[in-house]
Amino acid sequence: MVPRIRPSLIGLPSYVAGRKIPGAALLASNECPYGLLPAVAARLAGTTAAAFRYPDMTCGALVDALAAHHGVAADRIAVGAGSTEVCGQLLHAVVGPGDEVIFGWRSFEAYPLLTAVAGGTAVRVPLRRDTLDLDAMLAAVTPRTRLVFVCNPNNPTGTAVGADDLRRFVAAVPDDVLVVVDEAYREYADPALVPDAVDLFGERPNVVVLRTFSKAYALAGLRVGYCLGAPEVIRQVRKTQTPFSVATIAQEAAVAALGEVVEVTRRARRTVAERDRMTSRLRELGYDVPSSQANFVWLPLGPDSAGFADQCLAGGVVTRPFPGEGVRVTVGLADENDRFLDLAEKLR
Ligand SMILES: *Cc1c(COP(=O)(O)O)cnc(C)c1O
């Protein structure tokens, strides 16, 4: 006998992780290319001895540090093992069997998987010109809708929605529907163009903002993410975390990383300059590249996407293809980006 699996899971594609090929330029996973922050490396060296104990389940020191960082009370923050776990926690807090979860598509590939795991029904709203179509997402809201993901900037297209559009959207969504603004790439976005949803909706009980240490804070391997929201929501979201999911070294590293804001900003600026250089060059070569507010660029190559990514791989550059749609290329170190641009020129 084979155990019976939920039908809603069977048809779903698995999460595709970027390949780690020694010697290749790893431009598939939107990681920070500059390595651990210096203070994080120093802190990690001193914390491994405590690993035989369970971690602080409440992530108390980290939550306090985040509260100070954002200038909010500690009861407005919930932490998880990466913001992917926090996405799941939010879903488990509000979604029951058959409830609907809306998100743009294509967007973060974890949304449909986590929605299915939570027992919800995914409602994918097609992007318009590679950008979230907030009007169409609003039109998709029904009495069964419990949660809407707004990925801003959007992964994998890098495009963002502005403050006015987002404000209008949130004002029109019913108060009992949770709006989750996923700001995983916040540090790479131009604050004049892309709103900070913490500033915009800090007091609104049905808006939660997701942030992560995996991208600009260069901690993808230690798994720390968090959300900011109203205390009554945060209290419930904390209950849906897998107990002890954030390891002690991850908590310590995240606290140390928060103390390195100057270096984080410096690195993010460098990545933004490289991103804009890649975008200009790719457009010069005739590629259609939407303006990115994140640490990657999107090439909407349609049917050529898989072949293009294969050719890059053969040339020693790992990218992330979405077959039939496009290829996402993470902004790496300058020489890695040059390797990619050389290939892009040859493949034109
Ligand atoms: C990378 C990413 C995350 C962060 O994932 P972690 O679990 O924190 O590593 C969240 N949302 C989006 C849209 C992302 O691209």
Side-chain angles (χ1 to χ4, degrees):
M1 268 302 261
V2 176
R4 228 183 294 170
I5 304 294
R6 283 155 52 194
S8 61
L9 212 54
I10 295 194
L12 275 179
S14 303
Y15 195 108
V16 179
R19 298 170 63 175
K20 302 285 187 249
I21 297 174
L26 302 179
L27 305 184
S29 301
N30 301 346
E31 294 147 343
C32 172
Y34 304 115
L36 284 177
L37 291 159
V40 173
R43 183 78 69 101
L44 285 179
T47 53
T48 47
F52 72 106
R53 297 284 185 203
Y54 276 106
D56 170 5
M57 198 173 88
T58 67
C59 299
L62 175 55
V63 167
D64 288 345
L66 284 167
H69 179 78
H70 287 285
V72 303
D75 63 359
R76 303 186 77 94
I77 295 168
V79 176
S83 55
T84 304
E85 185 185 35
V86 185
C87 281
Q89 291 171 236
L90 291 161
L91 286 160
H92 286 292
V94 301
V95 172
D99 286 341
E100 291 167 1
V101 177
I102 295 175
F103 44 84
W105 200 249
R106 180 164 286 275
S107 190
F108 187 32
E109 63 188 309
Y111 299 154
L113 276 170
L114 296 169
T115 298
V117 170
T121 299
V123 179
R124 297 171 175 80
V125 177
L127 303 183
R128 210 167 128 258
R129 281 189 268 108
D130 292 318
T131 308
L132 292 182
D133 186 346
L134 292 180
D135 292 335
M137 289 169 73
L138 190 60
V141 173
T142 75
R144 296 302 315 255
T145 305
R146 296 270 56 88
L147 189 149
V148 185
F149 284 114
V150 177
C151 190
N152 200 36
N154 187 49
N155 176 8
T157 56
T159 55
V161 293
D164 290 346
D165 290 343
L166 195 55
R167 224 185 260 118
R168 220 170 316 144
F169 175 78
V170 166
V173 170
D175 286 348
D176 62 347
V177 173
L178 189 65
V179 177
V180 178
V181 186
D182 186 343
E183 297 188 335
Y185 300 97
R186 173 76 214 153
E187 294 80 1
Y188 304 107
D190 179 347
L193 299 174
V194 187
D196 178 333
V198 182
D199 293 343
L200 222 51
F201 309 115
E203 298 304 317
R204 250 193 119 87
N206 71 322
V207 178
V208 162
V209 183
L210 273 175
R211 297 283 181 92
T212 180
F213 283 92
S214 295
K215 307 288 158 55
Y217 285 87
L219 273 181
L222 281 182
R223 317 301 308 128
V224 192
Y226 61 100
C227 67
L228 298 120
E232 58 270 32
V233 175
I234 294 301
R235 206 176 311 125
Q236 305 308 323
V237 170
R238 286 176 176 175
K239 292 182 193 168
T240 58
Q241 184 190 359
T242 299
F244 305 109
S245 68
V246 185
T248 303
I249 57 166
Q251 296 182 35
E252 292 274 349
V255 172
L258 275 181
E260 289 254 50
V261 173
V262 174
E263 174 64 8
V264 169
T265 305
R266 201 178 65 88
R267 290 169 163 205
R269 269 206 207 104
R270 218 193 294 174
T271 291
V272 165
E274 279 294 298
R275 175 193 75 203
D276 294 346
R277 179 176 77 90
M278 289 168 81
T279 303
S280 303
R281 180 65 187 138
L282 288 165
R283 285 177 179 166
E284 244 170 54
L285 293 171
Y287 289 93
D288 171 24
V289 184
S291 292
S292 172
Q293 292 291 327
N295 68 339
F296 51 83
V297 293
W298 173 247
L299 284 71
L301 295 171
D304 300 332
S305 304
F308 180 91
D310 284 345
Q311 292 293 315
C312 288
L313 196 58
V317 175
V318 188
T319 62
R320 175 66 166 86
F322 296 84
E325 296 174 61
V327 178
R328 190 189 67 200
V329 185
T330 303
V331 179
L333 303 171
D335 66 300
E336 295 175 322
N337 304 334
D338 285 337
R339 272 161 83 180
F340 168 72
L341 290 172
D342 286 348
L343 287 165
E345 183 173 356
K346 288 200 192 84
L347 293 171
R348 194 62 205 151

